[in-house]
Amino acid sequence: MMYSSRRKPVLYFKEDRRFLSWKCSVLKLFCLCMALVLGPLLWLQLSCSGDMSRAVVEDSHVPHQPCLLDRQPSAADDPSWGPHKMALLIPFRERFEELLVFVPYMHAYLNKKKIRHKIFVINQLDHYRFNRASLINVGFVESGNDTDYIAMHDVDLLPQNEALDYGFPEQGPFHIASPELHPLYHYKTYVGGILLLTKQHYQMCNGMSNRFWGWGREDDEFYRRLRTAGLQLFRPSGITTGYKTFRHIHDPAWRKRDQKRIAAQKQEQFKVDPEGGLTNLRYKVESRQELTISGAPCTVISVTLECDHSQTPWCLLS
C-alpha cells in the first residue's frame, strides 16, 4: 500500500514522541532512585545537627549526648586501642533518668579515649534495701572472660576532663574520683565514685562486703580490704580542674538516699567483714538484656539478692 508524502512526517513524528517519552521515563526513574537514596542520609544529618541527641532528663546542667556520626570507630577496627577491655559496672535501681544520660555519655567518652569497654547495668529487683556492694560483686561475676579489669562507677558521676585515665590499672587500684577531685567527698580514705581494678586485684580482696544495706560505708570497708590485700592505691596527678573535674547529676530532692541506720547496723557499719564478699554472695539473675540507649550498647542484668536475716536484719526497714 502506498502512502502519500503528507503522511510520512506524521509517522516519523509519532516515532520521535515514543523515543522522547522513553527517555523521560528513564530520567524520572533515575531521579526517584536518587531521592530514595539521598533522602534518608539528609534526614540523618539534620537529626544529628539538630536537637535529637538531647537527653530525656530535663536538666540544663546535664551535658547533651554526642551525635553518633561523630563517634570514634569500634575497637575491633583499630589495634591502637590496646589489648585490655574494661567492664564498666553500674549498680542500679530505678534511676532511669540518670541512666539515659550516663550510658551514651560514657560510651562516647571512652570511645574518644580508645578504651575498649562493655557497660553492665546491675539492676536490683528485690524488695530489700539497695546494696551497692553486692551489685558490684554480681557485676564482677557476670562480666565474663572477655574483660580483664573493672570500673566501679556511680551512675550519677560524669567525667568532664579528658585527661582522666581510664586505662588498665596494672600497678594497682586506681581511684579516678579522688578526694581532691570529687565534688562532694573529700576525706583521704574515700575510694568511692569511680574506682578501677584488675580482676585479679578484685579477687584478691574477695570483692566487697555484702553486709551493707542502704546507702554508704561499703567503700570505707573496701578501703581496708585494699590495705589488707597489700595493694597500693593510685590516684590521678596533674589534673587542674579541681572539683569541676566531674559533674554530679544526682538530684537529692527527687532521689533521696536511704541513710537510715537501724538495730545493730549503727555499730556494724564501722566493722571490717573479714570473710564476706565474693565467697558468700547469693543472688539470682532474673533477666539479661542487651539494650541500646541513643546508639550506646549496654547489658542490663536484673537480679534479686538474698539476705541472711540472722546476720543482717537491717536488709529490710521495719
Side-chain angles (χ1 to χ4, degrees), residues 109-314:
Y109 179 89
L110 294 173
N111 275 354
K112 191 171 185 179
K113 295 177 67 65
K114 293 189 175 182
I115 301 294
R116 299 176 64 214
H117 64 278
K118 191 171 184 180
I119 300 176
F120 293 91
V121 181
I122 318 302
N123 180 33
Q124 184 176 342
L125 291 180
D126 54 70
H127 58 286
Y128 296 121
R129 302 170 71 187
F130 186 66
N131 192 323
R132 178 178 179 269
S134 290
L135 295 178
I136 293 175
N137 285 341
V138 172
F140 174 83
V141 175
E142 297 291 331
S143 59
N145 297 325
D146 62 334
T147 58
D148 54 2
Y149 71 110
I150 66 171
M152 302 155 53
H153 211 302
D154 287 350
V155 71
D156 57 9
L157 203 59
L158 303 178
Q160 302 293 291
N161 192 325
E162 294 183 2
L164 292 170
D165 187 3
Y166 274 78
F168 185 72
E170 184 174 4
Q171 295 182 330
F174 187 71
H175 186 212
I176 295 181
S178 65
E180 296 81 10
L181 305 177
H182 196 284
L184 297 179
Y185 308 115
H186 309 140
Y187 57 95
K188 293 182 179 180
T189 58
Y190 176 69
V191 292
I194 310 169
L195 181 65
L196 308 183
L197 297 98
T198 68
K199 286 194 168 182
Q200 180 183 4
H201 289 161
Y202 193 78
Q203 190 79 47
M204 289 171 58
C205 297
N206 191 24
M208 303 185 76
S209 172
N210 301 301
R211 297 176 59 84
F212 292 86
W213 301 89
W215 181 81
R217 297 297 182 184
E218 77 283 344
D219 292 326
D220 297 332
E221 200 273 346
F222 189 69
Y223 175 79
R224 300 177 185 178
R225 290 178 177 237
L226 294 175
R227 297 187 62 182
T228 301
L231 296 173
Q232 183 179 354
L233 182 67
F234 294 87
R235 285 181 169 136
S237 61
I239 303 296
T240 60
T241 45
Y243 298 150
K244 295 183 179 180
T245 303
F246 302 95
R247 177 162 292 176
H248 193 244
I249 62 175
H250 178 76
D251 185 355
W254 178 250
R255 297 288 185 189
K256 294 184 178 180
R257 303 188 193 278
D258 176 11
Q259 296 178 288
K260 295 181 180 180
R261 297 293 183 263
I262 60 176
Q265 185 181 14
K266 296 179 181 179
Q267 292 76 35
E268 293 290 332
Q269 65 179 338
F270 296 104
K271 295 181 180 180
V272 176
D273 182 8
E275 299 178 358
L278 294 174
T279 51
N280 70 343
L281 176 66
R282 300 292 182 268
Y283 69 96
K284 179 182 178 182
V285 174
E286 301 294 342
S287 66
R288 188 183 184 104
Q289 298 172 303
E290 302 295 333
L291 301 181
T292 300
I293 303 177
S294 297
C298 66
T299 302
V300 178
I301 305 175
S302 295
V303 301
T304 53
L305 302 176
E306 295 183 10
C307 172
D308 186 346
H309 293 264
S310 64
Q311 296 294 321
T312 57
W314 52 84

Side-chain angles (χ1 to χ4, degrees), residues 65-79:
Q65 300 169 13
C67 177
L68 296 181
L69 294 180
D70 296 333
R71 291 179 181 168
Q72 299 293 325
S74 65
D77 301 328
D78 190 346

